[in-house]
Amino acid sequence: MDDLLERLRTGLPAEALITDPDVTASYGNDMASFCAAGTPAVVVLPRTVEQVQHVMRTATELRVPVVPQGARTGLSGAANASDGCIVLSLTKMDRILEISPVDRIAVVEPGVVNAVLSRAVGEHGLYYPPDPSSWEMCTIGGNIGTASGGLCCVKYGVTAEYVLGLKVVLADGRLLNTGRRTAKGVAGYDLTRLFVGSEGSLGIVVEAVLALRPQPPAQLVLAAEFPSAATACDAVCAIMERGHTPSLLEIMDRTTVHAVNKLADMGLPETTEALLLAAFDTADPAADLAAVGVLCEAAGASEVVPADTVAESELLLQARRMSLTALEAVKPATMIDDVCVPRSKLGAMIEGTAAVAEKYDLTIGVCAHAGDGNTHPVVCFDHLDADESRRARESFDEIMALGLELGGTITGEHGVGVLKKEWLARELGPVSLELQRGIKETFDPLGILNPGKLF
């Protein structure tokens, strides 16, 4: 420990090192439940690439594990500390280095908060689409590490589609440049995509070139109530089959609707079994909403309410934005799953989750990015009740198994981390797992980068 601190101090300012055990303990974990976390030896908050390189050279020389962190809003334990590690918090590297309206790119450091970037590029008439629910807190580096998604993925895609190039400090301290600043580029293997979603296991992202889009018009929203989750999912399939491209297409099941009503008295009918929200940011969103409203009614919607103004649209979206908060109020603890299935299987996924909730006698609410099949079953439980905690964990696993049975994946945007690494092996299969472990060994032969995650 003394040798580690002495070597770190040779290349870092005093304020970049945190050794107070009470403070370092606060960096121990992200927001995931049921994920083991260790005690870091030290927390480092670098401000420059050179400081990150110094940390990694020191870690390599002393064989000390390094756990990179952003804002720790993740939900898989990917940012959890391991015993005796260096926690490398990148939140102080928070500069927007460049915004280019001509090239439609932004160059940023990893600690830039998503919402800060979005507002900054908006001043130039540009738009950075990835918008995780935690966008007011989460960092671009964390978004890249977990390949985050968000509400707008149905039209605009996920983080991976906006990362053009990276600067990455490797395990031994070397600086790697990947990708490009150009609109096109196919030279060599796509190492940029390899780092996106790697959860800090291959290197430390210290700079990113991000693609931007022109700022779209303000969106208008429609809310449709359905007598069952199956009919709501039929409407989703009809909307996508007819070629519509909503900017948002979200679903809330009965449990979630009731929780929101209880928390905020939103006035949603207690008979609502599923609430579907659709939005368009097109040149004529009212016409698009009208067409989608017809499809919802044909699928069995009991009521369809299109907004006439942006203000009304925001009111309709409040219920969806409150979903997690409302479900967190049901029980002292929650586990948020992240299973993505083909759109055609969305109804089966939601109904199957309801059956799991009944089997384990638990409250499990589902809100979903319906347009891309990404469901977020939220298991509500009392973490002080051993039996209920056991049932919560078993139900969580059963939901992931259901997703795989339906041709889906165990994570659409939250990542693997500690929480799902056993399930990753099941999804990948032995050949893919062997190759991916080989990639990890190539980039991190000593196994010091975020050990215990993914594999």
Side-chain angles (χ1 to χ4, degrees):
M1 174 68 171
D2 290 341
D3 191 18
L4 171 63
L5 293 178
E6 182 179 343
R7 294 204 190 190
L8 288 174
R9 287 189 180 111
T10 63
L12 296 169
E15 64 270 17
L17 287 169
I18 299 176
T19 57
D20 183 331
D22 292 334
V23 180
T24 57
S26 69
Y27 286 82
N29 56 276
D30 62 19
M31 298 177 68
S33 301
F34 291 110
C35 292
T39 302
V42 61
V43 174
V44 180
L45 294 96
R47 290 184 180 272
T48 69
V49 173
E50 291 74 20
Q51 290 173 7
V52 175
Q53 289 181 284
H54 173 69
V55 170
M56 294 314 305
R57 291 189 190 107
T58 301
T60 292
E61 290 170 8
L62 299 180
R63 307 299 196 262
V64 177
V66 177
V67 176
Q69 291 182 349
R72 292 182 291 116
T73 56
L75 294 164
S76 68
N80 284 12
S82 54
D83 285 332
C85 76
I86 299 170
V87 162
L88 189 60
S89 175
L90 298 157
T91 54
K92 299 296 185 183
M93 296 181 68
D94 59 357
R95 294 180 300 161
I96 298 174
L97 302 172
E98 179 186 351
I99 296 173
S100 172
V102 173
D103 294 327
R104 293 184 182 173
I105 61 169
V107 183
V108 305
E109 292 182 328
V112 173
V113 171
N114 187 296
V116 171
L117 174 64
S118 296
R119 294 184 183 114
V121 301
E123 294 177 2
H124 296 268
L126 297 169
Y127 177 45
Y128 180 65
D131 63 341
S133 296
S134 58
W135 78 302
E136 291 282 5
M137 299 177 288
C138 64
T139 63
I140 296 299
N143 294 168
I144 291 171
T146 58
S148 299
L151 300 181
C152 70
C153 294
V154 59
K155 180 174 182 177
Y156 293 105
V158 296
T159 296
E161 294 166 63
Y162 294 88
V163 183
L164 298 178
L166 296 170
K167 286 186 178 179
V168 182
V169 175
L170 298 177
D172 59 9
R174 288 179 297 165
L175 184 63
L176 169 69
N177 288 280
T178 77
R180 63 196 192 279
R181 293 170 54 99
T182 55
K184 293 180 178 178
V186 294
Y189 294 131
D190 191 348
L191 295 182
T192 303
R193 279 292 185 108
L194 184 61
F195 281 99
V196 179
S198 66
E199 301 183 20
S201 65
L202 300 179
I204 311 296
V205 172
V206 291
E207 188 178 299
V209 180
L210 305 174
L212 304 175
R213 288 175 175 248
Q215 183 72 252
Q219 64 182 4
L220 291 182
V221 177
L222 169 149
E225 298 172 15
F226 288 86
S228 69
T231 53
C233 292
D234 287 343
V236 170
C237 292
I239 291 167
M240 302 309 292
E241 184 179 12
R242 295 295 180 88
H244 294 286
T245 309
S247 55
L248 173 150
L249 191 57
E250 299 286 306
I251 197 168
M252 298 160 57
D253 74 346
R254 171 186 59 197
T255 300
T256 306
V257 169
H258 288 185
V260 170
N261 258 349
K262 184 176 180 180
L263 180 69
D265 193 22
M266 294 289 290
L268 302 172
E270 290 296 318
T271 54
T272 299
E273 293 292 314
L275 183 69
L276 185 67
L277 297 168
F280 286 88
D281 58 4
T282 53
D284 189 3
D288 289 310
L289 291 185
V292 164
V294 170
L295 295 176
C296 289
E297 289 172 347
S302 53
E303 187 172 2
V304 176
V305 181
D308 295 320
T309 66
V310 173
E312 288 178 7
S313 296
E314 286 301 309
L315 288 174
L316 291 177
L317 287 176
Q318 279 186 10
R320 173 62 182 91
R321 290 179 177 145
M322 293 175 60
S323 294
L324 178 55
T325 302
L327 289 166
E328 286 176 336
V330 173
K331 287 279 188 173
T334 57
M335 290 186 72
I336 306 173
D337 216 324
D338 173 38
V339 176
C340 192
V341 296
R343 296 186 193 100
S344 58
K345 302 296 184 181
L346 184 60
M349 185 68 205
I350 295 176
E351 290 184 339
T353 300
V356 171
E358 183 176 358
K359 174 181 175 180
Y360 288 96
D361 190 23
L362 292 167
T363 298
I364 304 178
V366 180
C367 49
H369 309 312
D372 49 29
N374 195 174
T375 68
H376 293 308
V378 181
V379 182
C380 307
F381 66 102
D382 184 351
H383 62 292
L384 298 178
D385 183 325
D387 182 66
E388 194 163 301
S389 294
R390 174 191 58 79
R391 285 184 281 124
R393 181 69 219 216
E394 290 179 4
S395 71
F396 188 87
D397 286 344
E398 194 156 322
I399 290 168
M400 284 193 287
L402 173 64
L404 291 181
E405 289 170 10
L406 294 173
T409 175
I410 59 169
T411 176
E413 58 190 11
H414 291 173
V416 175
V418 176
L419 189 62
K420 296 185 175 184
K421 65 179 185 177
E422 294 179 8
W423 283 91
L424 179 64
R426 301 191 199 189
E427 178 172 335
L428 293 180
V431 175
S432 179
L433 189 64
E434 179 183 354
L435 289 172
Q436 295 205 27
R437 283 175 171 162
I439 291 170
K440 163 72 170 171
E441 187 173 355
T442 297
F443 281 89
D444 181 23
L446 300 177
I448 64 171
L449 280 169
N450 215 8
K453 315 297 167 47
L454 288 171
F455 309 118

